[in-house]
Amino acid sequence: MSSSPGEEGRLPEAAPNSHTPDRFDSPAETEATGNTPEDQVSPVLDKASPSSTTSYEILDMEAVPAPYREVQPHWFFCRQANDNTSWLPFSREDSDKLEIACNSADEGEVVVAVDGERYDVHVMERKRYAVYWEQGPTEVRRCTWFYKGDKDIMFMPYSEVFSQRLEESYMIAVTLDEWKTKLDFPTGESVILHNPKLIMQYQPIGMQDEWMSSPSEQTRPRTVKRGVDNIPVEIPEGEPEKVDHLVFMVHGIGPACDLRFRSIIQCVSDFRSASLSLLASHYKRAQQDGQVNRVEFLPVNWHSALHGDATGVDEDIQRITLPSISRLRHFTNDTLLDLFFYNSPTYCQTIVDTVASEINRLHTLFKQRHPEFSGAVSVVGHSLGSLILFDLLTNQRTRSGSTDGMPSEESYHLNCDTLEQTLTRLGLQQYLDTLQAENLDLESLSLCNDSDLKVLGIPLGPRKKILKYAKRKWFPEGCKTGTVLLPPGLECPPQVTNDQDGNQSSGVTPQQAQFHRAQSVTSAVEYEYFDVGIGQVSIEYPQLAFRPQTFFAFGSPIGMFLTVRGLKRIDPNYTFPTCKSFYNIYHPYDPVAYRIEPMIVSEVDLEPMLIPHHKGRKRMHLELKDSFTRMSMDLKNNVLGSLRTAWQSLARLPSAAALPPVEEGDTTIDRNLEEKQGVFEEAESSVSAEQAEQPEINVGRLNGGRRIDYVLQEKPIESFNEYLFAIQSHLCYWESEDTALLLLKEIYDKQGVAFEQPQQ
């Protein structure tokens, strides 16, 4: 039934921690009066009047009532999005853990990890808190009774206290076999227990919205159900406790990641759900054998740090923004400007520091919550996030301090001294307790920046000493400020110039074969640039605390940015210093995506690898397209073959009356026959060449000699108008099962576990 916005047509609720309320107020009344459950009185219990049950007495009235059994509770959590409130169930495993903790809890608080240990539930407080990212706490409820109106999409749970009163009334009705019991409340609401399968909630006319509801709508009651098994709700499957692989996912420009303007947290949650479903279908036998458990995906959010109060960039941009078309300008400032920020020395440093520190923080926290984890770690970047990761991985340092070779433990330790010895040497031993209180050692201290130390309350002078010492120990002697070594394989071709004597020279010295630094117009801004192109911003790249196994790029502009920076070719021998696998995944209509392989193998026109459909076939329209192509090729072969046979027949059986006599030595006809036969043979050879598969080509070490560019199959509706679906194509990866399956295959192939295609 419709209700006023303030009341929402709900039954009265009370605080869930109260167990002996005497009266129930509606939520609006409780909020307005401040009444507590102790101040309230019980509802009036009586027999329902005959007029109130005329339409509902015919349902299962002859059925023999079953003996009373206590209702089985199920735990739900509240989710609010766009002013809409919905209640979602925990998995049965998590619900059972919460029920056990609730029954065994004393007066103290009990914390239960749920949803793959990504959330903690404070059982007594009835709140759910996110572990890895910033998110407000959400309400948790132990649910036994539910209601739904005619226009409601799903059943909503009653409050725990009100559900308890309903259960007590239901128990009395079942035990005494007395139905048509009516519960009246001071607010005018009432619940009638017609029979075990028909329980309705009624609202007084005064609580309904007379302007918005018709008279027929005002008389419609709400349906009341007992127990989660009696309502249509999908209870999610529980997740395996053990994690096989950890993946960090970095978003692109803007705070929203899809057309529904959802955050990176929600999009990664969808991708995680898709991977769990694919593991259950494509690795079913391996899961049963205990070879496969699950892959954990964690979001990495850098946008909020860039646009937060710490940088103040939003206020600066807002002061110079024109007042017209305000919504479009706000979208531009909040989204598209991220591209320009990344090309700014100041804000590029903020972005890269945030991404690296957030990944390291999440990695440390994950290891703390999963101390048994021994799997590998991979990274995923979408759009601009892939470029950030590319630059970050390109500038990881190893044993020798260069960006070539394999990393060692020396990469993550300043030296063999302890933290106390280091601070004593610097004369800063008074800050030892401050750093130890945050569990900082030399390894974690080397990952800190100035803002991290400032938050700890360390003054500017000591901060500079610590950072200078860390930089001196961290960076190699040959990599000083002002010159950063160019990663091998990413050098730009030198510019050829003529000297005064007319001799050609490259224009660069051996020392200038590195990155160069030039002073820009603004004295505080410095850039490293290639010999051609606009160059790359000069910043200090932080180091990751682990070696990624694989780097996946979704809808990536890496190829375009490298070209604009002046890089014409990637050396086939180039590889990331600490990551040996790289996949460039894109949708064919993605306007932001660019290829990588043509920059490595320029002499051969390689088609990208087609990502198989997760159901094990090509999409129907692509199969039809290939069939038509094969038909045209077969028709071409048949026509050419028929013409060749006919011409050879004419050549073998010449007519003496039709042809002039051939003089000795006259080879004109023979020459014509040879030319025609050569044409047919050439045409046939070209057709066979087109049908032949392309030979296996080594595309360099960036992905260990394997292919790099992988293209998704477009949907049939997308093929009708590629411009119409261009923007959607750039945002499709989060819900793409084909993309998720490609990641899972790469991850588990390295573990020696093959997937099995389910039968359709």
Side-chain angles (χ1 to χ4, degrees):
M1 297 180 62
S2 301
S3 61
S4 62
E7 299 288 347
E8 297 185 355
R10 295 179 180 272
L11 276 177
E13 297 185 2
N17 292 334
S18 304
H19 301 287
T20 57
D22 298 321
R23 177 183 177 272
F24 291 89
D25 286 338
S26 66
E29 285 186 336
T30 303
E31 209 173 292
T33 62
N35 290 340
T36 61
E38 288 74 11
D39 303 324
Q40 301 171 345
V41 296
S42 301
V44 178
L45 214 70
D46 61 8
K47 290 287 185 178
S49 62
S51 61
S52 63
T53 62
T54 55
S55 303
Y56 307 102
E57 295 178 355
I58 61 174
L59 190 63
D60 293 338
M61 294 299 293
E62 297 180 358
V64 178
Y68 172 77
R69 294 182 179 178
E70 188 176 356
V71 63
Q72 295 299 317
H74 195 93
W75 291 71
F76 283 65
F77 64 92
C78 181
R79 184 175 69 182
Q80 293 182 343
N82 300 326
D83 298 330
N84 294 326
T85 300
S86 59
W87 287 85
L88 303 178
F90 288 101
S91 67
R92 294 196 181 276
E93 291 82 353
D94 288 342
S95 180
D96 291 343
K97 290 193 299 184
L98 292 171
E99 183 66 16
I100 293 174
C102 180
N103 294 332
S104 60
D106 297 330
E107 295 183 358
E109 183 60 87
V110 179
V111 179
V112 177
V114 296
D115 293 338
E117 298 198 20
R118 293 181 297 274
Y119 290 90
D120 284 338
V121 171
H122 294 210
V123 178
M124 303 307 295
E125 187 185 2
R126 297 294 198 268
K127 294 292 184 181
R128 185 184 73 141
Y129 293 88
V131 173
Y132 295 104
W133 50 81
E134 293 184 4
Q135 182 179 343
T138 56
E139 184 182 354
V140 171
R141 188 173 291 180
R142 181 180 181 269
C143 304
T144 53
W145 286 79
F146 306 85
Y147 68 90
K148 184 176 81 70
D150 280 351
K151 295 184 178 181
D152 293 335
I153 300 176
M154 60 181 65
F155 278 85
M156 302 284 286
Y158 285 116
S159 67
E160 294 187 34
V161 175
F162 186 60
S163 295
Q164 182 181 354
R165 291 300 187 186
L166 282 176
E167 183 65 19
E168 292 173 356
S169 301
Y170 179 85
M171 179 184 65
I172 295 173
V174 170
T175 304
L176 302 179
D177 195 19
E178 295 181 355
W179 297 98
K180 302 179 185 177
T181 304
K182 182 178 181 182
L183 287 78
D184 290 321
F185 298 91
T187 58
E189 295 173 315
S190 61
V191 175
I192 298 180
L193 285 71
H194 296 285
N195 58 60
K197 295 186 177 181
L198 184 62
I199 303 174
M200 308 298 292
Q201 174 202 344
Y202 298 86
Q203 290 179 268
I205 299 298
M207 291 185 61
Q208 299 167 2
D209 191 343
E210 299 178 358
W211 294 96
M212 300 300 294
S213 303
S214 63
S216 60
E217 291 176 338
Q218 292 179 356
T219 59
R220 293 175 184 172
R222 283 176 170 170
T223 302
V224 180
K225 293 293 183 180
R226 176 179 181 264
V228 71
D229 295 333
N230 292 321
I231 64 173
V233 60
E234 183 178 355
I235 298 177
E237 295 290 336
E239 301 180 19
E241 292 185 4
K242 185 178 180 181
V243 178
D244 300 324
H245 198 90
L246 176 61
V247 180
F248 296 111
M249 309 190 82
V250 182
H251 67 85
I253 61 174
C257 295
D258 63 0
L259 291 178
R260 287 178 281 175
F261 297 97
R262 297 185 304 165
S263 67
I264 179 65
I265 298 172
Q266 295 170 301
C267 290
V268 171
S269 178
D270 277 356
F271 198 89
R272 186 188 303 112
S273 299
S275 72
L276 289 171
S277 177
L278 290 170
L279 286 176
S281 59
H282 289 69
Y283 292 86
K284 184 176 182 180
R285 186 174 303 173
Q287 279 191 332
Q288 294 173 349
D289 296 341
Q291 294 179 289
V292 169
N293 296 283
R294 69 182 175 96
V295 178
E296 181 61 275
F297 297 89
L298 295 179
V300 178
N301 185 0
W302 55 266
H303 182 271
S304 56
L306 174 64
H307 294 267
D309 296 334
T311 62
V313 64
D314 283 358
E315 295 182 3
D316 297 337
I317 293 295
Q318 187 60 38
R319 284 198 300 266
I320 60 177
T321 301
L322 301 182
S324 59
I325 52 173
S326 57
R327 292 187 178 181
L328 179 58
R329 295 187 190 278
H330 175 74
F331 172 79
T332 302
N333 293 347
D334 204 32
T335 303
L336 300 181
L337 286 188
D338 288 347
L339 289 171
F340 298 97
F341 287 140
Y342 189 67
N343 285 309
S344 160
T346 301
Y347 300 111
C348 180
Q349 186 72 64
T350 300
I351 293 173
V352 172
D353 285 345
T354 301
V355 170
S357 62
E358 182 69 2
I359 290 178
N360 287 335
R361 182 188 70 83
L362 292 173
H363 181 260
T364 301
L365 185 56
F366 178 84
K367 293 293 291 284
Q368 291 175 354
R369 296 182 69 88
H370 298 268
E372 75 287 350
F373 176 74
S374 59
V377 183
S378 295
V379 291
V380 171
H382 174 242
S383 188
L384 181 61
S386 65
L387 179 64
I388 298 171
L389 287 176
F390 184 90
D391 291 339
L392 191 62
L393 293 178
T394 299
N395 289 275
Q396 294 299 289
R397 277 171 284 276
T398 56
R399 180 193 302 269
S400 61
S402 68
T403 56
D404 186 25
M406 296 297 294
S408 67
E409 291 299 322
E410 295 180 11
S411 302
Y412 308 119
H413 293 275
L414 298 179
N415 55 23
C416 60
D417 290 344
T418 64
L419 178 64
E420 182 177 3
Q421 291 172 336
T422 300
L423 292 177
T424 302
R425 183 179 294 107
L426 296 175
L428 303 175
Q429 57 269 23
Q430 65 269 30
Y431 299 107
L432 177 62
D433 294 338
T434 302
L435 297 178
Q436 288 181 340
E438 299 294 331
N439 293 326
L440 285 174
D441 54 11
L442 290 178
E443 177 182 347
S444 54
L445 183 62
S446 65
L447 301 174
C448 293
N449 53 32
D450 185 77
S451 59
D452 296 329
L453 299 179
K454 185 177 181 180
V455 170
L456 298 179
I458 300 178
L460 178 62
R463 291 204 308 268
K464 294 299 182 182
K465 285 185 178 181
I466 294 174
L467 293 174
K468 182 179 179 180
Y469 176 82
K471 176 186 281 189
R472 187 173 69 251
K473 294 294 183 180
W474 183 271
F475 290 92
E477 292 299 324
C479 188
K480 298 296 185 180
T481 302
T483 304
V484 178
L485 292 176
L486 182 63
L490 292 184
E491 292 92 347
C492 291
Q495 290 180 324
V496 178
T497 58
N498 293 326
D499 56 19
Q500 295 179 353
D501 297 331
N503 298 323
Q504 290 186 344
S505 63
S506 64
V508 293
T509 64
Q511 292 77 14
Q512 292 171 332
Q514 306 167 343
F515 278 133
H516 299 280
R517 184 181 298 270
Q519 193 71 22
S520 67
V521 176
T522 305
S523 59
V525 179
E526 293 182 337
Y527 289 87
E528 286 169 2
Y529 62 90
F530 294 96
D531 296 319
V532 292
I534 64 173
Q536 182 180 0
V537 174
S538 170
I539 64 171
E540 294 180 0
Y541 285 92
Q543 303 299 295
L544 297 178
F546 59 91
R547 292 176 289 183
Q549 176 178 282
T550 309
F551 169 32
F552 300 95
F554 295 170
S556 173
I558 292 174
M560 181 271 292
F561 269 85
L562 293 180
T563 302
V564 170
R565 291 172 180 175
L567 186 68
K568 295 184 179 296
R569 183 172 181 268
I570 298 177
D571 193 307
N573 294 321
Y574 174 73
T575 181
F576 294 120
T578 60
C579 181
K580 301 307 177 185
S581 298
F582 173 48
Y583 288 85
N584 182 37
I585 303 169
Y586 60 92
H587 190 282
Y589 302 154
D590 189 340
V592 181
Y594 290 82
R595 294 193 60 185
I596 295 294
E597 289 176 347
M599 300 187 69
I600 302 174
V601 185
S602 57
E603 62 275 7
V604 180
D605 187 13
L606 281 178
E607 291 293 328
M609 294 291 290
L610 187 67
I611 299 177
H613 194 273
H614 66 279
K615 293 184 179 179
R617 55 171 175 79
K618 278 189 177 181
R619 295 186 183 272
M620 185 63 67
H621 69 290
L622 294 180
E623 291 180 349
L624 292 175
K625 182 179 179 181
D626 291 344
S627 298
F628 285 131
T629 302
R630 286 193 298 269
M631 289 173 58
S632 63
M633 297 297 293
D634 293 341
L635 181 61
K636 184 178 180 181
N637 281 339
N638 292 336
V639 171
L640 290 176
S642 299
L643 290 176
R644 182 172 183 269
T645 302
W647 183 260
Q648 289 176 345
S649 299
L650 291 174
R652 286 196 301 269
L653 300 173
S655 174
L659 295 176
V662 179
E663 299 179 0
E664 186 177 355
D666 189 353
T667 60
T668 304
I669 296 179
D670 293 337
R671 186 168 59 251
N672 290 336
L673 289 174
E674 292 175 358
E675 290 177 356
K676 295 295 184 182
Q677 186 172 356
V679 170
F680 290 127
E681 291 177 352
E682 182 181 352
E684 287 184 346
S685 63
S686 64
V687 172
S688 61
E690 290 177 0
Q691 291 179 331
E693 294 184 358
Q694 293 179 338
E696 189 70 23
I697 296 177
N698 188 349
V699 291
R701 296 175 55 197
L702 198 55
N703 194 24
R706 297 170 297 175
R707 297 295 301 274
I708 298 173
D709 293 335
Y710 285 77
V711 60
L712 292 167
Q713 302 179 40
E714 72 272 15
K715 297 178 181 178
I717 191 174
E718 295 173 343
S719 61
F720 288 111
N721 191 326
E722 55 192 51
Y723 292 96
L724 184 63
F725 294 94
I727 301 300
Q728 178 178 330
S729 299
H730 182 59
L731 306 172
C732 72
Y733 306 98
W734 304 110
E735 297 178 339
S736 170
E737 293 174 301
D738 299 346
T739 303
L741 183 58
L742 178 63
L743 264 68
L744 295 177
K745 288 171 63 177
E746 163 64 17
I747 290 171
Y748 284 105
D749 281 351
K750 282 184 166 56
Q751 299 182 16
V753 181
F755 85 105
E756 52 188 273
Q757 189 65 45
Q759 298 295 329
Q760 301 299 324

